[in-house]
Amino acid sequence: MRKRSQKQFLIFFVILAALMQATFLYRFRVAGVKPDILLTIVIFSTFYFEGSFCLKTALFAGFIGDVLSGGIFGLNILTFGLCGFVLPLYGQRVYRENIPIQLFICFSSVLAVYSLYYLASRVFLPLAGFIEALKMVILPTALYSTFIFGPLCIFLKKSLGFLAYENRSY
Amino acid sequence: MIIKRITWIVCALIFIAIVFLPNRVSNKIKNVFLSAFKYPLSASEVSSRNLAGLLEYKHILQSNSALRREVGLLKGRLTSFEEIRLENLRLQKLFEFKEKVLFDTVASRVIGRDTTNWFNTIIIDKGTNDGIREGAAVLSCSGLAGRVIEADGGVCRVMLLTDPVSRVAAKIQRTRDEALLEGVYKGLCRMKYLPLESKIMQGDKVVTSANSGLYPEGLLIGEVISISHDASSLYTIALVRPEAALMKLEEVLCVKEVKSSF
């Protein structure tokens, strides 16, 4: 089980990530998108924390994302929550200390979360077609977020004082 | 175990229900928490600008000297324009021209941007306490920027022109063709439903139309950068680059009310 202080630090990083995403990150846009570090922190938490904490972190991150976003209130909570619920469930079947596997999980999770968010938003809002959204937003975001996932992982592991992967309970 | 599962299922249903809340209710909930983020966002935005200033120091020096030269030129032109303005005033009184309308505005700083890549919204540090209402037009120094979609006591959320949900009734200033302007990704806008026989050209200025209802007429939106036809060849589509640097907005003007100048 992770120490309480590590969990508190992670929540602090979630708030910091939200502030950075709303203020700093637009200066680092590539192909018109910025990396979703809120979601990458949620994905990181699913590798190193137990399932119930991952879900709560995901819901909290989704809530802050919704408050600071102009989208439908509740969609980020749902999509992030789904990510925080599913990844820990199936994560036990893969060896997560392998970096390529971590990157693959990050890429596919961002892809899935963004696609779900798009499909749910489309019910309420007149967004562009799925192919255009995939080309302009979903794929670039998944690639960019995966690109920064590695350095972010190293930073968080050092900041939270992780040494090695520990067994988790759900 | 069963109670835990039921609790999680109930929580999931509550979260799904939140998505279907009416806009009024969800906006109120959002604005309560957004107000709590106002000062951390302001502090973070100031740090971000200072950091950007340090990184772009050389570029700032160069643009500073170029701007000083331009100011000198403009001062000279201003004097001659003053003469034209006075002559215009005399002519208007003489021929009883229609009144020009000016806007009462309030300046505010941008303190945050949308966290997602789906929408293009900004958060500003003024709200209903400063006379800003939902639906108010928001301008930058060079043109229309967007409109207020959520307003609380001390903060507002502004939907920019380039937001995919944004829709503005616009017209080509030169040809007077009217059409619908919508936001597209990558910081541009698209004018749809222009007539096929329209004589629109690259470089044409786009302004707000009187049919808009939300925006005062004649506000500069941007410039046409490319023209094409839709797949069915029923109308012309123009890609428009907004005049306002929407990705780099730092201060904006919110229209409080429209007033007459005479």
Side-chain angles (χ1 to χ4, degrees), chain A residues 84-164:
Chain A
F85 178 74
V86 169
L87 275 182
L89 273 183
Y90 295 98
Q92 291 185 22
R93 296 179 191 191
V94 298
Y95 179 54
R96 276 152 299 139
E97 280 303 316
N98 186 295
I99 292 170
I101 289 181
Q102 284 191 349
L103 293 175
F104 174 74
I105 290 173
C106 176
F107 178 79
S108 40
S109 305
V110 175
L111 213 61
V113 166
Y114 264 66
S115 301
L116 259 173
Y117 188 95
Y118 167 82
L119 291 170
S121 293
R122 198 82 204 273
V123 173
F124 302 96
L125 300 169
L127 296 180
F130 182 69
I131 304 295
E132 194 180 340
L134 191 69
K135 264 188 342 190
M136 297 290 206
V137 179
I138 300 175
L139 269 174
T141 309
L143 286 168
Y144 201 177
S145 303
T146 308
F147 180 73
I148 60 123
F149 180 75
L152 186 68
C153 224
I154 294 168
F155 169 75
L156 285 172
K157 273 163 48 167
K158 282 206 158 131
S159 308
L160 296 170
F162 288 178
L163 292 174

Coordinates of all heavy atoms in Angstrom, one line a residue, chain A residues 84-164:
Chain A
G84 N -9.9 5.7 -14.9 CA -9.4 5.3 -13.5 C -10.0 4.0 -13.0 O -9.5 3.4 -12.1
F85 N -11.2 3.6 -13.6 CA -11.8 2.4 -13.1 C -11.3 1.2 -13.9 O -11.0 0.1 -13.3 CB -13.3 2.5 -13.3 CG -14.1 1.3 -12.9 CD1 -14.3 1.0 -11.6 CD2 -14.7 0.5 -13.9 CE1 -15.0 -0.2 -11.2 CE2 -15.4 -0.7 -13.5 CZ -15.5 -1.0 -12.2
V86 N -11.2 1.3 -15.2 CA -10.8 0.2 -16.1 C -9.4 -0.2 -16.0 O -9.0 -1.3 -16.0 CB -11.3 0.5 -17.6 CG1 -10.7 -0.5 -18.5 CG2 -12.8 0.6 -17.7
L87 N -8.5 0.9 -16.1 CA -7.0 0.6 -16.2 C -6.5 -0.3 -15.0 O -5.8 -1.3 -15.2 CB -6.2 1.9 -16.3 CG -6.1 2.4 -17.7 CD1 -5.2 3.7 -17.7 CD2 -5.5 1.4 -18.7
P88 N -6.9 0.1 -13.8 CA -6.4 -0.8 -12.7 C -6.9 -2.2 -12.7 O -6.2 -3.2 -12.4 CB -6.9 -0.1 -11.4 CG -7.2 1.3 -11.8 CD -7.6 1.2 -13.2
L89 N -8.2 -2.4 -13.2 CA -8.8 -3.7 -13.3 C -8.0 -4.6 -14.2 O -7.7 -5.8 -13.9 CB -10.2 -3.6 -13.9 CG -11.4 -3.3 -13.0 CD1 -12.7 -3.3 -13.7 CD2 -11.4 -4.3 -11.8
Y90 N -7.7 -4.1 -15.4 CA -7.0 -5.0 -16.4 C -5.5 -4.8 -16.4 O -4.7 -5.6 -17.0 CB -7.5 -4.7 -17.8 CG -9.0 -5.1 -17.9 CD1 -10.0 -4.1 -17.8 CD2 -9.3 -6.4 -18.1 CE1 -11.3 -4.5 -17.8 CE2 -10.7 -6.8 -18.1 CZ -11.6 -5.8 -18.0 OH -12.9 -6.2 -18.0
G91 N -5.0 -3.8 -15.6 CA -3.6 -3.5 -15.6 C -2.8 -4.7 -15.0 O -1.6 -4.8 -15.2
Q92 N -3.4 -5.5 -14.1 CA -2.7 -6.5 -13.5 C -2.3 -7.6 -14.4 O -1.5 -8.5 -14.1 CB -3.6 -7.1 -12.3 CG -3.8 -6.2 -11.2 CD -4.5 -6.7 -10.0 OE1 -4.6 -8.0 -9.9 NE2 -5.1 -5.9 -9.2
R93 N -2.9 -7.6 -15.6 CA -2.5 -8.7 -16.6 C -1.3 -8.3 -17.4 O -0.9 -9.1 -18.2 CB -3.7 -8.9 -17.5 CG -4.9 -9.4 -16.7 CD -6.1 -9.6 -17.6 NE -7.3 -9.9 -16.8 CZ -8.4 -10.3 -17.3 NH1 -8.6 -10.5 -18.6 NH2 -9.4 -10.5 -16.5
V94 N -0.8 -7.1 -17.3 CA 0.4 -6.7 -18.1 C 1.5 -6.4 -17.1 O 1.3 -6.0 -16.0 CB 0.1 -5.5 -19.0 CG1 -1.0 -5.9 -20.0 CG2 -0.2 -4.3 -18.3
Y95 N 2.7 -6.5 -17.6 CA 3.9 -6.1 -16.9 C 4.1 -4.6 -17.0 O 4.6 -4.2 -18.1 CB 5.1 -6.9 -17.3 CG 6.4 -6.6 -16.6 CD1 6.4 -6.6 -15.2 CD2 7.5 -6.2 -17.2 CE1 7.6 -6.3 -14.5 CE2 8.7 -5.8 -16.6 CZ 8.7 -5.9 -15.2 OH 9.8 -5.5 -14.5
R96 N 3.8 -3.8 -16.0 CA 3.7 -2.4 -16.2 C 5.1 -1.7 -16.0 O 5.1 -0.5 -16.2 CB 2.7 -1.8 -15.3 CG 1.3 -1.9 -16.0 CD 0.2 -1.9 -15.0 NE 0.3 -3.1 -14.1 CZ 0.1 -3.1 -12.9 NH1 -0.3 -2.0 -12.2 NH2 0.2 -4.2 -12.1
E97 N 6.1 -2.4 -15.6 CA 7.4 -1.7 -15.4 C 8.1 -1.6 -16.7 O 9.1 -0.9 -16.8 CB 8.3 -2.4 -14.4 CG 7.9 -2.1 -13.0 CD 7.9 -0.7 -12.6 OE1 8.9 0.0 -13.0 OE2 7.0 -0.2 -12.0
N98 N 7.6 -2.2 -17.8 CA 8.2 -2.2 -19.1 C 7.8 -0.8 -19.7 O 6.6 -0.5 -19.9 CB 7.7 -3.3 -19.9 CG 8.3 -3.4 -21.3 OD1 8.2 -2.5 -22.1 ND2 9.1 -4.5 -21.5
I99 N 8.8 0.0 -20.1 CA 8.5 1.3 -20.6 C 7.7 1.3 -21.9 O 6.7 2.1 -22.0 CB 9.8 2.2 -20.7 CG1 10.3 2.4 -19.3 CG2 9.5 3.5 -21.5 CD1 11.7 3.0 -19.3
P100 N 8.0 0.5 -22.9 CA 7.2 0.5 -24.1 C 5.7 0.2 -23.8 O 4.8 0.8 -24.4 CB 7.8 -0.5 -25.0 CG 9.2 -0.6 -24.6 CD 9.2 -0.3 -23.1
I101 N 5.5 -0.7 -22.9 CA 4.1 -1.1 -22.5 C 3.4 0.1 -21.8 O 2.3 0.4 -22.1 CB 4.1 -2.3 -21.6 CG1 4.5 -3.6 -22.4 CG2 2.7 -2.5 -21.0 CD1 4.4 -4.9 -21.7
Q102 N 4.1 0.8 -20.9 CA 3.6 2.0 -20.3 C 3.2 3.0 -21.4 O 2.1 3.6 -21.3 CB 4.6 2.6 -19.3 CG 4.8 1.9 -18.0 CD 5.6 2.7 -17.0 OE1 6.2 3.7 -17.3 NE2 5.6 2.2 -15.8
L103 N 4.1 3.2 -22.3 CA 3.8 4.2 -23.4 C 2.6 3.8 -24.2 O 1.8 4.6 -24.6 CB 5.0 4.5 -24.2 CG 6.2 5.1 -23.6 CD1 7.4 5.2 -24.5 CD2 5.9 6.5 -23.1
F104 N 2.5 2.5 -24.5 CA 1.4 2.0 -25.3 C 0.1 2.2 -24.5 O -0.9 2.6 -25.1 CB 1.6 0.5 -25.6 CG 0.5 -0.1 -26.3 CD1 0.2 0.2 -27.7 CD2 -0.4 -0.9 -25.6 CE1 -0.9 -0.3 -28.3 CE2 -1.5 -1.5 -26.2 CZ -1.8 -1.2 -27.6
I105 N 0.1 1.9 -23.2 CA -1.1 2.0 -22.4 C -1.5 3.5 -22.4 O -2.7 3.8 -22.5 CB -0.9 1.4 -21.0 CG1 -0.7 -0.1 -21.1 CG2 -2.0 1.8 -20.1 CD1 -0.4 -0.8 -19.8
C106 N -0.5 4.4 -22.2 CA -0.8 5.8 -22.2 C -1.5 6.2 -23.5 O -2.5 6.9 -23.5 CB 0.5 6.6 -21.9 SG 0.2 8.4 -21.9
F107 N -0.8 5.9 -24.6 CA -1.3 6.3 -25.9 C -2.8 5.8 -26.1 O -3.7 6.5 -26.5 CB -0.4 5.7 -27.0 CG -0.9 6.1 -28.4 CD1 -0.6 7.3 -28.9 CD2 -1.5 5.1 -29.2 CE1 -1.1 7.7 -30.2 CE2 -1.9 5.4 -30.5 CZ -1.7 6.7 -31.0
S108 N -3.0 4.5 -25.9 CA -4.3 3.9 -26.1 C -5.3 4.5 -25.2 O -6.5 4.7 -25.5 CB -4.3 2.4 -26.1 OG -3.5 1.9 -25.1
S109 N -4.9 4.8 -23.9 CA -5.9 5.3 -23.0 C -6.3 6.7 -23.4 O -7.5 7.0 -23.3 CB -5.3 5.4 -21.6 OG -4.8 4.1 -21.2
V110 N -5.3 7.5 -23.8 CA -5.7 8.9 -24.2 C -6.6 8.9 -25.4 O -7.6 9.6 -25.5 CB -4.4 9.7 -24.5 CG1 -4.8 11.1 -25.0 CG2 -3.6 9.9 -23.2
L111 N -6.3 8.0 -26.3 CA -7.1 7.8 -27.6 C -8.5 7.4 -27.2 O -9.5 8.0 -27.7 CB -6.4 6.7 -28.4 CG -6.5 6.7 -29.9 CD1 -5.8 8.0 -30.4 CD2 -5.9 5.5 -30.5
A112 N -8.6 6.4 -26.3 CA -10.0 5.9 -25.9 C -10.7 7.0 -25.2 O -11.9 7.3 -25.4 CB -9.8 4.7 -25.0
V113 N -10.1 7.7 -24.2 CA -10.8 8.7 -23.4 C -11.2 9.9 -24.3 O -12.4 10.4 -24.2 CB -9.9 9.3 -22.3 CG1 -10.4 10.5 -21.7 CG2 -9.7 8.2 -21.2
Y114 N -10.4 10.3 -25.2 CA -10.7 11.4 -26.1 C -11.8 11.0 -27.1 O -12.7 11.9 -27.4 CB -9.5 12.0 -26.8 CG -8.9 13.1 -26.1 CD1 -8.3 13.0 -24.8 CD2 -8.9 14.4 -26.7 CE1 -7.8 14.1 -24.2 CE2 -8.3 15.5 -26.0 CZ -7.8 15.3 -24.7 OH -7.3 16.4 -24.0
S115 N -11.8 9.8 -27.6 CA -12.8 9.4 -28.5 C -14.2 9.3 -27.8 O -15.2 9.7 -28.3 CB -12.5 8.0 -29.1 OG -11.2 8.0 -29.7
L116 N -14.1 8.8 -26.5 CA -15.4 8.7 -25.8 C -15.9 10.1 -25.5 O -17.1 10.4 -25.6 CB -15.1 8.1 -24.4 CG -15.5 6.6 -24.3 CD1 -15.0 6.1 -22.9 CD2 -17.0 6.4 -24.4
Y117 N -15.0 11.0 -25.1 CA -15.4 12.4 -24.8 C -16.1 13.0 -26.1 O -17.1 13.7 -26.0 CB -14.2 13.2 -24.4 CG -14.5 14.6 -23.9 CD1 -14.7 14.9 -22.5 CD2 -14.7 15.7 -24.8 CE1 -15.0 16.1 -22.1 CE2 -15.0 16.9 -24.3 CZ -15.2 17.2 -23.0 OH -15.5 18.4 -22.5
Y118 N -15.4 12.8 -27.2 CA -16.0 13.3 -28.5 C -17.4 12.8 -28.8 O -18.3 13.5 -29.1 CB -15.0 13.0 -29.6 CG -15.7 13.3 -31.0 CD1 -15.7 14.5 -31.5 CD2 -16.3 12.2 -31.7 CE1 -16.3 14.8 -32.7 CE2 -16.9 12.5 -32.9 CZ -16.9 13.8 -33.4 OH -17.6 14.0 -34.6
L119 N -17.5 11.4 -28.6 CA -18.8 10.8 -28.9 C -19.9 11.3 -28.0 O -21.0 11.6 -28.4 CB -18.7 9.3 -28.8 CG -17.8 8.6 -29.9 CD1 -17.6 7.2 -29.6 CD2 -18.5 8.8 -31.3
A120 N -19.6 11.5 -26.7 CA -20.5 12.0 -25.8 C -20.9 13.4 -26.0 O -22.0 13.8 -26.0 CB -20.0 11.8 -24.3
S121 N -19.9 14.2 -26.4 CA -20.1 15.7 -26.6 C -21.0 15.9 -27.9 O -21.7 16.8 -28.0 CB -18.8 16.4 -26.9 OG -18.0 16.5 -25.7
R122 N -20.8 15.0 -28.8 CA -21.5 15.1 -30.1 C -23.0 15.0 -29.9 O -23.8 15.6 -30.7 CB -21.0 14.0 -31.0 CG -21.3 14.1 -32.5 CD -20.3 15.0 -33.2 NE -20.9 15.6 -34.4 CZ -21.0 15.0 -35.6 NH1 -20.4 13.8 -35.7 NH2 -21.5 15.6 -36.6
V123 N -23.4 14.3 -28.9 CA -24.8 14.2 -28.6 C -25.4 15.6 -28.3 O -26.6 15.9 -28.6 CB -25.0 13.3 -27.4 CG1 -26.5 13.3 -26.9 CG2 -24.6 11.9 -27.7
F124 N -24.6 16.5 -27.6 CA -25.1 17.8 -27.1 C -24.7 18.9 -28.0 O -25.3 20.0 -28.0 CB -24.6 18.0 -25.7 CG -25.0 17.0 -24.7 CD1 -24.2 15.9 -24.4 CD2 -26.3 17.0 -24.1 CE1 -24.5 15.0 -23.5 CE2 -26.6 16.0 -23.2 CZ -25.8 15.0 -22.9
L125 N -23.5 18.8 -28.7 CA -23.0 20.0 -29.4 C -22.7 19.7 -30.8 O -22.4 18.5 -31.2 CB -21.6 20.4 -28.7 CG -21.7 20.8 -27.2 CD1 -20.3 20.9 -26.6 CD2 -22.4 22.1 -27.1
P126 N -22.7 20.7 -31.7 CA -22.5 20.5 -33.1 C -21.0 20.5 -33.4 O -20.4 21.4 -34.0 CB -23.2 21.7 -33.7 CG -23.1 22.8 -32.7 CD -23.1 22.1 -31.4
L127 N -20.3 19.4 -33.1 CA -18.8 19.3 -33.3 C -18.6 18.8 -34.7 O -19.5 18.3 -35.4 CB -18.2 18.4 -32.3 CG -18.2 18.8 -30.9 CD1 -17.5 17.8 -30.0 CD2 -17.5 20.2 -30.7
A128 N -17.4 18.9 -35.2 CA -17.0 18.4 -36.5 C -17.1 16.9 -36.6 O -17.3 16.2 -35.6 CB -15.6 18.9 -36.8
G129 N -17.0 16.4 -37.8 CA -17.1 14.9 -38.0 C -16.0 14.2 -37.3 O -14.9 14.8 -36.9
F130 N -16.2 12.9 -37.1 CA -15.2 12.1 -36.3 C -13.8 12.0 -37.0 O -12.8 12.1 -36.3 CB -15.7 10.7 -36.1 CG -14.8 9.8 -35.2 CD1 -14.7 10.1 -33.9 CD2 -14.1 8.8 -35.8 CE1 -13.8 9.4 -33.1 CE2 -13.2 8.0 -35.0 CZ -13.1 8.3 -33.7
I131 N -13.8 11.9 -38.3 CA -12.5 11.8 -39.0 C -11.7 13.1 -38.8 O -10.5 13.1 -38.5 CB -12.6 11.5 -40.5 CG1 -13.5 10.3 -40.7 CG2 -11.3 11.5 -41.2 CD1 -12.8 9.0 -40.2
E132 N -12.3 14.3 -38.9 CA -11.7 15.5 -38.7 C -11.2 15.7 -37.3 O -10.1 16.1 -37.0 CB -12.6 16.7 -39.0 CG -11.9 18.0 -39.2 CD -12.8 19.2 -39.5 OE1 -13.9 18.9 -40.0 OE2 -12.4 20.3 -39.3
A133 N -12.1 15.3 -36.3 CA -11.7 15.3 -34.9 C -10.5 14.4 -34.6 O -9.6 14.8 -33.8 CB -12.9 14.9 -34.0
L134 N -10.5 13.3 -35.2 CA -9.4 12.3 -35.0 C -8.1 12.9 -35.5 O -7.1 12.8 -34.8 CB -9.7 11.0 -35.8 CG -8.9 9.8 -35.5 CD1 -9.1 9.3 -34.1 CD2 -9.2 8.7 -36.5
K135 N -8.2 13.5 -36.7 CA -6.9 14.1 -37.3 C -6.4 15.3 -36.6 O -5.3 15.5 -36.4 CB -7.3 14.5 -38.8 CG -6.9 13.5 -39.8 CD -7.0 13.9 -41.2 CE -7.8 15.1 -41.6 NZ -8.0 15.3 -43.0
M136 N -7.4 16.1 -36.2 CA -7.0 17.5 -35.6 C -6.8 17.4 -34.1 O -6.0 18.2 -33.6 CB -8.1 18.5 -35.9 CG -8.3 18.7 -37.4 SD -6.9 19.6 -38.1 CE -7.7 20.3 -39.5
V137 N -7.5 16.6 -33.4 CA -7.4 16.7 -31.9 C -7.0 15.3 -31.3 O -6.1 15.3 -30.5 CB -8.8 17.1 -31.4 CG1 -8.7 17.2 -29.8 CG2 -9.2 18.5 -31.9
I138 N -7.7 14.3 -31.6 CA -7.5 13.0 -30.8 C -6.1 12.4 -31.0 O -5.4 12.2 -30.0 CB -8.6 12.0 -31.2 CG1 -10.0 12.5 -30.9 CG2 -8.4 10.7 -30.4 CD1 -11.1 11.6 -31.4
L139 N -5.7 12.2 -32.3 CA -4.4 11.6 -32.5 C -3.3 12.5 -32.1 O -2.4 12.1 -31.4 CB -4.3 11.3 -34.0 CG -4.7 9.8 -34.4 CD1 -4.6 9.6 -35.9 CD2 -3.9 8.8 -33.7
P140 N -3.3 13.8 -32.4 CA -2.2 14.7 -32.0 C -2.1 14.7 -30.5 O -1.0 14.7 -29.9 CB -2.5 16.1 -32.5 CG -3.4 15.8 -33.7 CD -4.2 14.6 -33.3
T141 N -3.2 14.8 -29.8 CA -3.2 14.8 -28.3 C -2.6 13.5 -27.7 O -1.8 13.6 -26.8 CB -4.6 15.1 -27.7 OG1 -5.2 16.2 -28.4 CG2 -4.5 15.3 -26.2
A142 N -3.1 12.4 -28.3 CA -2.6 11.1 -27.8 C -1.0 11.0 -28.0 O -0.3 10.6 -27.1 CB -3.2 10.0 -28.5
L143 N -0.6 11.5 -29.2 CA 0.9 11.4 -29.4 C 1.7 12.3 -28.5 O 2.7 12.0 -27.9 CB 1.2 11.8 -30.9 CG 0.8 10.7 -31.9 CD1 0.8 11.3 -33.3 CD2 1.7 9.5 -31.8
Y144 N 1.2 13.6 -28.4 CA 1.9 14.6 -27.6 C 1.9 14.2 -26.1 O 2.9 14.3 -25.4 CB 1.2 15.9 -27.8 CG 2.0 17.1 -27.4 CD1 1.5 18.4 -27.6 CD2 3.3 17.0 -26.9 CE1 2.3 19.6 -27.3 CE2 4.1 18.1 -26.5 CZ 3.5 19.4 -26.7 OH 4.3 20.5 -26.4
S145 N 0.7 13.7 -25.6 CA 0.6 13.3 -24.2 C 1.6 12.1 -23.9 O 2.2 12.0 -22.9 CB -0.8 12.9 -23.8 OG -1.7 14.0 -24.1
T146 N 1.6 11.1 -24.9 CA 2.5 10.0 -24.7 C 4.0 10.4 -24.7 O 4.8 9.9 -24.0 CB 2.3 9.0 -25.9 OG1 0.9 8.7 -26.0 CG2 3.1 7.7 -25.6
F147 N 4.3 11.4 -25.5 CA 5.6 12.0 -25.6 C 6.1 12.5 -24.3 O 7.3 12.3 -23.9 CB 5.7 13.0 -26.7 CG 7.0 13.7 -26.9 CD1 8.1 13.0 -27.5 CD2 7.3 15.0 -26.4 CE1 9.3 13.6 -27.7 CE2 8.5 15.6 -26.6 CZ 9.5 14.9 -27.2
I148 N 5.2 13.2 -23.6 CA 5.6 13.8 -22.3 C 5.4 12.9 -21.1 O 5.8 13.2 -20.0 CB 4.9 15.2 -22.0 CG1 3.4 15.0 -22.0 CG2 5.3 16.2 -23.0 CD1 2.8 15.4 -20.7
F149 N 4.8 11.7 -21.4 CA 4.5 10.8 -20.3 C 5.7 10.3 -19.7 O 5.8 10.2 -18.4 CB 3.6 9.6 -20.9 CG 3.3 8.6 -19.8 CD1 2.3 8.9 -18.9 CD2 3.9 7.4 -19.7 CE1 2.0 8.0 -17.9 CE2 3.6 6.5 -18.7 CZ 2.6 6.8 -17.8
G150 N 6.7 10.0 -20.5 CA 8.0 9.4 -20.0 C 8.6 10.4 -19.0 O 8.9 10.0 -17.8
P151 N 9.0 11.6 -19.4 CA 9.6 12.6 -18.5 C 8.7 12.9 -17.3 O 9.2 13.0 -16.1 CB 9.7 13.8 -19.3 CG 9.7 13.4 -20.7 CD 8.9 12.2 -20.8
L152 N 7.4 12.9 -17.5 CA 6.5 13.2 -16.4 C 6.5 12.1 -15.4 O 6.5 12.3 -14.2 CB 5.0 13.4 -16.9 CG 4.0 13.8 -15.9 CD1 4.2 15.2 -15.5 CD2 2.6 13.7 -16.5
C153 N 6.6 10.8 -15.9 CA 6.6 9.6 -15.0 C 7.9 9.7 -14.2 O 7.8 9.4 -12.9 CB 6.7 8.4 -15.9 SG 5.6 7.1 -15.4
I154 N 9.0 10.0 -14.8 CA 10.3 10.0 -14.0 C 10.2 11.1 -13.0 O 10.6 10.9 -11.8 CB 11.4 10.3 -15.0 CG1 11.6 9.2 -15.9 CG2 12.7 10.6 -14.2 CD1 12.6 9.4 -17.1
F155 N 9.6 12.3 -13.3 CA 9.5 13.4 -12.4 C 8.6 13.0 -11.2 O 8.9 13.2 -10.0 CB 8.9 14.6 -13.1 CG 8.5 15.7 -12.2 CD1 9.5 16.5 -11.6 CD2 7.2 16.0 -11.9 CE1 9.1 17.5 -10.7 CE2 6.8 17.0 -11.0 CZ 7.8 17.8 -10.4
L156 N 7.5 12.4 -11.5 CA 6.5 12.0 -10.4 C 7.1 10.9 -9.6 O 6.9 11.0 -8.3 CB 5.2 11.6 -11.0 CG 4.3 12.7 -11.6 CD1 3.1 12.1 -12.3 CD2 3.8 13.6 -10.5
K157 N 7.8 10.0 -10.2 CA 8.4 8.9 -9.4 C 9.4 9.4 -8.4 O 9.5 9.0 -7.2 CB 9.0 7.8 -10.3 CG 7.9 6.8 -10.7 CD 8.2 5.9 -11.8 CE 9.4 5.2 -12.0 NZ 9.4 4.1 -13.0
K158 N 10.2 10.4 -8.9 CA 11.3 10.9 -8.0 C 10.6 11.8 -7.0 O 11.0 11.7 -5.8 CB 12.2 11.8 -8.9 CG 13.2 11.0 -9.7 CD 14.5 11.8 -10.0 CE 15.5 10.8 -10.2 NZ 16.3 10.9 -11.3
S159 N 9.6 12.6 -7.3 CA 9.0 13.5 -6.4 C 8.2 12.7 -5.3 O 8.2 13.1 -4.1 CB 8.0 14.4 -7.1 OG 8.6 15.1 -8.1
L160 N 7.6 11.6 -5.7 CA 6.8 10.8 -4.8 C 7.6 9.8 -4.0 O 7.1 9.1 -3.2 CB 5.6 10.2 -5.5 CG 4.6 11.1 -6.1 CD1 3.6 10.4 -7.0 CD2 3.9 11.9 -5.0
G161 N 8.9 9.7 -4.4 CA 9.8 8.8 -3.7 C 9.5 7.3 -3.9 O 9.7 6.5 -3.1
F162 N 9.2 7.0 -5.2 CA 9.0 5.6 -5.5 C 10.3 4.9 -5.8 O 11.2 5.5 -6.5 CB 8.1 5.5 -6.8 CG 6.7 5.8 -6.6 CD1 5.8 5.8 -7.7 CD2 6.2 6.2 -5.4 CE1 4.5 6.1 -7.5 CE2 4.9 6.6 -5.2 CZ 4.0 6.5 -6.3
L163 N 10.5 3.7 -5.4 CA 11.7 3.0 -5.7 C 11.4 1.8 -6.7 O 12.2 1.6 -7.6 CB 12.3 2.4 -4.4 CG 12.8 3.5 -3.4 CD1 13.3 2.8 -2.1 CD2 14.0 4.2 -4.0
A164 N 10.4 1.1 -6.4 CA 10.1 0.0 -7.3 C 8.6 -0.3 -7.3 O 7.9 0.2 -6.4 CB 10.8 -1.3 -6.8

